[in-house]
């Protein structure tokens, strides 16, 4: 059986950077905590816990003698202020692309624009960007229908959650253009997501089975799995090699593998090895 691994499967630049920073800090900085899980991979979070990096849900839970690592998605402005007030040592692993989105939202808010953020309201990255806009006039819209709810006739500023699809962003920008006197647009989309999705589409169309590896709580892995199953209905979303059911492979001549941006390399390797064993 032919096993084909997508070239971009696994960690994106921002996640790789955050994970390296966390392991380096664990080695050098003594006790460490992260505000929320560092990335959406329970296995990696567990491994970091083994290295002494504990996860806390709020600044209030921090003991005061720990170094704090900020995850790649970033945190809310109020949380950053609380950390600075408590003078806790910080390792800021916020992805530079997310930082840019926060900064542009801040600039727009400061200059009096109504800030529109294209993204998922509940996502921690979006909540962070909203907080950095420092304005009472902020709207999070998921699609063109949402953009129609933004009051018209004002100066509007637009940024995006980094993982948004460009087409959706563009369609929203076009809708807003007809609803204001001035529209200022910062394209803050990072292409890591689009690259993974395009490769997954191509791969899913050329194999008999598709495995998508990544946290069941990872939005980008779930999206990859949906994209693949629309093309190849025999797509399976797994978190680890132990979830592979040999029955899935019966009659397959080829299996494609991709993985979300927060899936560690060792988990991908274990999946490939398990497939090799099963098809010997
Ligand atoms: S997907 Fe892009 S913005 Fe998000 S962490 Fe990865 S590199 Fe950074």
């Amino acid at each position: 059986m032919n096993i084909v691994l997508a070239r971009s499967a696994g960690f994106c630049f921002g996640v790789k950077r955050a994970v390296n920073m966390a392991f380096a800090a664990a080695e050098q900085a003594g006790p460490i905590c992260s505000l929320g899980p560092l990335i959406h991979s329970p296995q990696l979070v567990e491994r970091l816990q083994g290295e002494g990096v504990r996860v806390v849900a709020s600044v209030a839970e921090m003991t005061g003698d720990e170094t704090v690592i900020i995850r790649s998605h970033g945190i809310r402005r109020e949380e950053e202020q609380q950390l600075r007030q408590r003078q806790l040592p910080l390792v800021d692993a916020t992805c530079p692309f997310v930082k840019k989105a926060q900064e542009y939202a801040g600039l727009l808010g400061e200059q009096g624009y109504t800030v529109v953020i294209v993204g998922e309201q509940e996502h921690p990255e979006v909540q962070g960007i909203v907080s950095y806009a420092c304005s009472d006039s902020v709207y999070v819209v998921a699609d063109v229908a949402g953009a129609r709810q933004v009051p018209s006739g004002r100066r509007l500023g637009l940024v995006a959650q980094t993982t948004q699809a460009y087409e959706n962003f563009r369609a929203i920008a076009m809708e807003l253009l007809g609803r204001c006197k001035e529209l200022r647009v910062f394209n803050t989309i990072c292409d890591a997501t689009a690259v993974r999705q395009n490769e997954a589409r191509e791969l899913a169309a050329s194999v008999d089975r598709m495995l998508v590896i990544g946290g069941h709580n990872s939005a980008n892995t779930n999206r990859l799995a949906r994209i693949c199953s629309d093309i190849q209905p025999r797509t399976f979303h797994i978190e680890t090699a132990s979830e592979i059911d040999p029955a899935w492979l019966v009659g397959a001549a080829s299996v494609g593998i991709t993985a979300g941006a927060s899936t560690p390399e060792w988990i991908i390797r274990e999946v490939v090895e398990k497939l090799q064993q099963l098809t010997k």
Side-chain angles (χ1 to χ4, degrees):
M1 192 178 65
N2 195 16
I3 300 168
V4 189
L5 178 62
R7 233 175 326 131
S8 64
F11 283 178
C12 60
F13 155 77
V15 166
K16 199 181 287 174
R17 178 175 171 272
V19 169
N20 288 343
M21 286 169 88
F23 278 109
E27 214 178 288
Q28 295 154 13
I32 301 216
C33 66
S34 74
L35 190 51
L38 189 74
I39 62 170
H40 286 143
S41 164
Q43 293 73 25
L44 187 109
V45 170
E46 202 182 310
R47 199 170 266 203
L48 279 169
Q49 260 160 3
E51 299 291 320
V53 182
R54 72 182 190 109
V55 180
V56 298
S58 69
V59 178
E61 279 179 43
M62 292 171 186
T63 57
D65 58 356
E66 294 163 310
T67 296
V68 181
I69 179 142
I70 299 179
R71 63 190 173 203
S72 52
H73 285 154
I75 55 176
R76 293 199 307 276
R77 188 168 173 268
E78 314 81 82
E79 291 171 323
E80 192 183 333
Q81 283 169 340
Q82 286 167 12
L83 292 174
R84 296 205 188 275
Q85 265 161 21
R86 287 186 61 182
Q87 299 188 322
L88 298 173
L90 288 184
V91 174
D92 188 355
T94 308
C95 176
F97 298 126
V98 174
K99 258 287 188 271
K100 269 274 161 251
Q102 293 173 346
E103 284 167 9
Y104 284 136
L107 181 85
L108 291 167
E110 219 176 87
Q111 295 184 352
Y113 287 82
T114 292
V115 183
V116 183
I117 299 160
V118 178
E120 302 148 70
Q121 178 91 49
E122 300 307 321
H123 196 284
E125 179 191 321
V126 173
Q127 291 175 0
I129 299 170
V130 167
S131 71
Y132 282 89
C134 297
S135 164
D136 293 334
S137 205
V138 183
Y139 295 82
V140 177
V141 303
D143 48 26
V144 171
R148 292 196 184 113
Q149 307 301 314
V150 176
S152 52
R154 305 190 51 180
R155 293 202 306 158
L156 299 180
L158 187 65
V159 297
Q161 179 182 2
T162 53
T163 49
Q164 283 294 299
Y166 175 72
E167 275 316 311
N168 188 42
F169 183 65
R170 198 175 72 94
I172 289 171
M174 296 309 287
E175 172 62 31
L176 293 178
L177 198 54
R179 308 176 64 78
C180 61
K181 295 251 182 284
E182 182 191 340
L183 177 66
R184 192 150 181 216
V185 181
F186 290 107
N187 179 357
T188 52
I189 294 171
C190 144
D191 69 358
T193 307
V195 167
R196 272 162 188 69
Q197 291 179 352
N198 290 338
E199 272 185 28
R201 273 188 199 99
E202 272 176 34
L203 189 53
S206 68
V207 292
D208 301 326
R209 304 287 186 277
M210 193 71 201
L211 293 185
V212 181
I213 318 165
H216 292 298
N217 63 346
S218 154
N220 82 80
T221 309
N222 281 312
R223 215 173 300 144
L224 270 184
R226 271 200 306 277
I227 287 170
C228 292
S229 49
D230 284 348
I231 296 165
Q232 170 50 269
R234 282 167 294 190
T235 290
F236 305 95
H237 177 177
I238 55 170
E239 211 166 87
T240 64
S242 64
E243 291 173 34
I244 297 173
D245 180 347
W248 297 343
L249 307 173
V250 174
S254 57
V255 179
I257 303 172
T258 189
S262 49
T263 307
E265 203 251 322
W266 89 81
I267 294 184
I268 301 172
R269 206 173 44 237
E270 282 171 7
V271 168
V272 173
E273 284 167 6
K274 175 98 182 256
L275 285 178
Q276 285 166 339
Q277 280 165 16
L278 287 171
T279 56
K280 253 183 197 165

